[in-house]
């Protein structure tokens, strides 16, 4: 097991991709009006691409037309004080309806008008895991605060 | 109730601040090596500031020394198909140990060496809520995909 300087387990690419597929909601980091913004999105993974929907004319639409974005998914078990996170950086681009009908079977955070489908092609992917009890100190501190 | 163009309830500033206080884990959006990155952090709210810990010399350390960052917290109820998210943009700066002893009672994602405390002073804050059943279509689609 590889650990980083903070004692967190470093996850391999395959495991990161597998973990991405186990969740439904992630967060995308974009630039909007020169400011950084994070938004929750419903997503799914198709090969090396992360797919999500948005509506034409939104901030998210404008910021995902051929732009490098960040994407993050995590899962925390409050009982066992364990968790993992997977972090992606990649190029976001619109998917044309003609590209592949099955791609459009992608959920979204909330229904909206004039839907677009966006694909993030995974460039960098990395992940960390905190083993059972590893979050203990933090959570105790938090509980007492 | 104010709704946005996607039919999501728009939350007021007070409610956003209250909701921030109910969670423990958020995600920070930073720029590292000219690339956008999102990382999970354990945090707490103190007035108009979001506090979290990191270790000196990390990516997160380097990217939060007087820099504008994004921060996001969300909560989803998979049973009722409802959820909310709060999005913050603000200036991140190190907190000196002498500033206020109580500030150092802040949890962190995972324990590490050479700890620093960082405060994000909330600039913009906004939030959305999806009412019960509002995520239904998305989740059904996801379930079938």
């Amino acid at each position: 097991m590889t650990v980083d300087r903070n004692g967190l387990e470093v996850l391999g690419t395959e495991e990161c991709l597998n973990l991405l597929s186990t969740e439904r909601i992630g967060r995308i980091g974009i630039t909007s009006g020169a400011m950084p913004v994070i938004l929750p999105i419903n997503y799914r993974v198709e090969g090396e691409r992360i797919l999500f929907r948005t509506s034409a004319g939104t901030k998210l639409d404008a910021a995902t037309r051929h732009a490098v974005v960040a994407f993050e998914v995590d899962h925390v078990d409050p009982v066992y004080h364990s968790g993992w996170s997977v972090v992606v950086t990649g190029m976001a681009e619109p998917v044309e309806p003609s590209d592949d009908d099955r791609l459009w079977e992608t959920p979204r955070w909330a229904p909206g008008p004039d839907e677009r489908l966006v694909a993030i092609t995974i460039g960098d992917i990395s992940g960390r895991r905190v083993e059972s009890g590893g979050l203990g100190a933090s959570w105790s501190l938090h509980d007492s605060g």
Side-chain angles (χ1 to χ4, degrees), chain A residues 17 20-21 43-51 71 122:
Chain A
L17 288 169
L20 272 192
S21 304
Y43 73 97
R44 70 187 182 96
V45 180
E46 182 83 30
E48 300 271 304
R49 298 202 289 181
I50 294 158
L51 298 166
F71 181 74
I122 297 173

Side-chain angles (χ1 to χ4, degrees), chain A residues 92-142:
Chain A
E93 286 172 300
V95 176
E96 299 303 322
S98 57
D99 281 1
D100 187 341
D101 283 353
R102 288 167 312 163
L103 297 183
W104 286 84
E105 289 165 18
T106 298
R108 60 174 299 176
W109 177 248
D114 201 0
E115 298 222 322
R116 283 182 54 229
L117 184 63
V118 180
I120 304 171
T121 301
I122 297 173
D124 286 345
I125 183 167
S126 61
R128 296 288 185 277
R129 180 186 287 124
V130 187
E131 288 298 339
S132 184
L135 290 172
S138 309
W139 287 76
S140 301
L141 268 172
H142 192 99

Side-chain angles (χ1 to χ4, degrees), chain A residues 34-124:
Chain A
M35 299 288 271
V37 177
I38 300 177
L39 296 172
I41 54 175
N42 247 157
Y43 73 97
R44 70 187 182 96
V45 180
E46 182 83 30
E48 300 271 304
R49 298 202 289 181
I50 294 158
L51 298 166
F52 67 92
R53 293 187 188 216
T54 183
S55 291
T58 59
K59 274 197 295 199
L60 187 53
D61 172 31
T64 54
R65 296 181 176 273
H66 203 76
V68 175
V69 301
F71 181 74
E72 189 263 1
V73 178
D74 57 57
H75 180 83
V76 170
D77 185 325
V79 174
Y80 295 100
H81 293 188
S82 60
W84 57 261
S85 68
V86 171
V87 174
V88 168
T89 302
M91 178 67 71
E93 286 172 300
V95 176
E96 299 303 322
S98 57
D99 281 1
D100 187 341
D101 283 353
R102 288 167 312 163
L103 297 183
W104 286 84
E105 289 165 18
T106 298
R108 60 174 299 176
W109 177 248
D114 201 0
E115 298 222 322
R116 283 182 54 229
L117 184 63
V118 180
I120 304 171
T121 301
I122 297 173
D124 286 345

Side-chain angles (χ1 to χ4, degrees), chain A residues 13-37:
Chain A
T13 301
E14 279 307 307
E15 185 159 15
C16 288
L17 288 169
N18 287 341
L19 287 171
L20 272 192
S21 304
T22 65
E23 294 288 323
R24 302 164 161 192
I25 293 177
R27 294 95 197 163
I28 187 169
I30 57 174
T31 302
S32 182
M35 299 288 271
V37 177

